[in-house]
Amino acid sequence: MSGHDIKLEVCVDSIKSAFAAEAGGASRIELCSALAEGGLTPTVGTLKTLKELSFNLPIFCMLRPRRGTDFVYSEEELHAVLTDMSMLRENGADGFVFGALNPDRSIDAEKCRMVLSKAEGLPVTFHRAFDLTDPKCMHENVELLKELGFKRLLSSGFRPTAGEGAECLAQLIAKHHRDLIVIPGAGVKVTNLEEILTVSRCREFHASAMETASEDYSVSTTTRMECDVTMGKQDIDPYYGTCQNVVRKMVTIATAMSSR
């Protein structure tokens, strides 16, 4: 199909999930906190611990200071992003993931330039904030991202999931694959991965590879305390982390597709 290996980036928000991704054969992790909120900036302590424990995969750190789907950041929030970025870079980050928009949903080029400058040569991925921009301007927006210096674009093709947006992703990849890696992400599961890879013809894909992404799942990865106290609304639902077996299944599918 592709003549090259198709790489899996796994988004994780815990040390246990990071090692599950590595054991399953992932090529890279996107390190976050709070995946239930869409992924926020991880702690320096988590990154530093992974590096000290000889974690062997490249670690791209999310830069997102708060929840919300607007991605319109104040000067104070950007200052926090750049401060986090400096500390993460000093503690071994291999790359970053960021996105910023203007109130009209166009790409905030000025804030992106500041982040890319602070990266000091490390690769930066523009995340799914792209999916909030105007689809009619998608090629112009990708050209802007390339001019700014982004190396990758994570997208679901302007749809809730990459499976639904696969045709749009295929268009983006066909036009821009020589100088930007477009990564399908959102709702990628074992059951729909082959179709997404076939339609999009991507070089990399992105998934949390949780138990819920398998054909069968039942067990949460954290202990549930039997009491009425919660630490937030997300604690009402069980916490699922990355599953080594799901990662392995996805890597197996991608390897088979690469050889076609």
Side-chain angles (χ1 to χ4, degrees), residues 112-113 116-117 119 121-126 142-152 179-180:
C112 287
R113 284 192 186 95
L116 285 156
S117 176
L122 291 178
V124 183
T125 301
F126 193 92
V142 171
E143 291 296 337
L144 173 59
L145 295 180
K146 290 190 286 188
E147 291 170 11
L148 289 168
F150 287 96
K151 301 301 182 185
R152 291 174 174 83
D179 40 18
L180 185 82

Side-chain angles (χ1 to χ4, degrees), residues 102-173:
N102 295 306
D104 64 357
R105 297 194 300 170
S106 61
I107 293 169
D108 189 331
E110 180 181 354
K111 289 187 173 64
C112 287
R113 284 192 186 95
M114 295 176 70
V115 167
L116 285 156
S117 176
K118 197 76 168 180
E120 297 185 2
L122 291 178
V124 183
T125 301
F126 193 92
H127 61 45
R128 288 188 60 223
F130 182 82
D131 294 320
L132 276 67
T133 63
D134 186 349
K136 296 190 294 294
C137 301
M138 65 179 185
H139 293 301
E140 293 89 340
N141 282 332
V142 171
E143 291 296 337
L144 173 59
L145 295 180
K146 290 190 286 188
E147 291 170 11
L148 289 168
F150 287 96
K151 301 301 182 185
R152 291 174 174 83
L153 166 63
L154 175 64
S155 174
S156 60
F158 304 100
R159 301 298 302 277
T161 69
E164 296 170 275
E167 292 288 351
C168 180
L169 290 165
Q171 295 177 39
L172 289 169
I173 290 168

Side-chain angles (χ1 to χ4, degrees), residues 15-92:
I15 291 170
K16 181 178 180 180
S17 287
F19 280 104
E22 181 180 37
S27 296
R28 181 177 66 248
I29 65 166
E30 176 192 277
L31 183 62
C32 309
S33 64
L35 275 178
E37 302 287 1
L40 304 179
T41 304
T43 67
V44 173
T46 300
L47 172 64
K48 193 171 187 292
T49 299
L50 286 171
K51 292 293 182 174
E52 290 174 349
L53 293 174
S54 300
F55 183 77
N56 293 314
L57 299 182
I59 302 175
F60 282 22
C61 293
M62 172 64 73
L63 299 171
R64 186 170 172 234
R66 58 166 170 80
R67 62 175 295 185
T69 57
D70 56 283
F71 303 107
V72 178
Y73 298 127
S74 67
E75 294 302 319
E76 293 80 7
E77 287 174 323
L78 183 64
H79 179 75
V81 166
L82 296 175
T83 301
D84 284 333
M85 192 177 187
S86 292
M87 292 189 291
L88 291 165
R89 190 186 65 246
E90 290 166 3
N91 284 277

Side-chain angles (χ1 to χ4, degrees), residues 220-240:
S220 172
T221 58
T222 57
T223 302
R224 185 67 181 270
M225 297 299 179
E226 295 300 326
C227 66
D228 295 330
V229 177
T230 65
M231 298 298 109
K233 67 175 185 177
Q234 297 295 348
D235 284 342
I236 297 171
D237 300 321
Y239 171 79
Y240 290 99

Side-chain angles (χ1 to χ4, degrees), residues 167-236:
E167 292 288 351
C168 180
L169 290 165
Q171 295 177 39
L172 289 169
I173 290 168
K175 186 174 179 65
H176 303 286
H177 70 277
R178 290 181 178 83
D179 40 18
L180 185 82
I181 299 173
V182 178
I183 310 173
V188 177
K189 301 181 179 181
V190 170
T191 52
N192 65 8
L193 177 57
E194 183 172 349
E195 181 180 1
I196 291 170
L197 297 181
T198 299
V199 174
S200 70
R201 302 184 67 84
C202 62
R203 295 162 56 188
E204 300 182 5
F205 66 102
H206 173 100
S208 61
M210 295 181 183
E211 292 94 331
T212 52
S214 187
E215 303 93 333
D216 51 351
Y217 68 91
S218 59
V219 182
S220 172
T221 58
T222 57
T223 302
R224 185 67 181 270
M225 297 299 179
E226 295 300 326
C227 66
D228 295 330
V229 177
T230 65
M231 298 298 109
K233 67 175 185 177
Q234 297 295 348
D235 284 342
I236 297 171

